[in-house]
Amino acid sequence: MAQTQPVQYAPCPNCGNTNVKKINYTWWGGILGPAILTHVKCNNCGTQYNGKTGKSNTVAIILLFVIGLIIGLCLYAGFVYLTGS
Ligand SMILES: [Zn+2]
């Protein structure tokens, strides 16, 4: 039978350490981004990665950031359009 263990994140892709910390807020994703991506930070080497898959979040972060930027620009354009005339 499987042993009951506390919630564990995938080991660090850089050093294999399992002592990681969940990140609650980032500049690129606010509080939503790291929650969606299970973004964690290795306490040993500082590598940040996806605690669910054990892989780098870089591509997902760029995607999230670009999508957020586009939405922000659209909102800004709409704001300018509504207030400009
Ligand atoms: Zn590490």
Side-chain angles (χ1 to χ4, degrees):
M1 291 298 288
Q3 290 180 336
T4 307
Q5 288 184 334
V7 178
Q8 282 284 327
Y9 296 114
C12 173
N14 187 45
C15 67
N17 184 29
T18 53
N19 181 18
V20 298
K21 188 178 147 196
K22 181 110 171 61
I23 295 174
N24 294 319
Y25 182 86
T26 61
W27 62 267
W28 47 264
I31 55 169
L32 201 62
I36 292 171
L37 299 174
T38 323
H39 202 54
V40 296
K41 182 180 181 181
C42 174
N43 283 330
N44 186 43
C45 70
T47 300
Q48 296 182 9
Y49 62 99
N50 188 317
K52 200 180 275 182
T53 65
K55 290 174 184 168
S56 172
N57 265 339
T58 307
V59 175
I61 288 169
I62 291 170
L63 275 175
L64 257 182
F65 186 67
V66 169
I67 291 168
L69 208 65
I70 291 169
I71 292 171
L73 279 174
C74 288
L75 288 175
Y76 180 72
F79 179 76
V80 169
Y81 176 76
L82 286 173
T83 56
S85 54

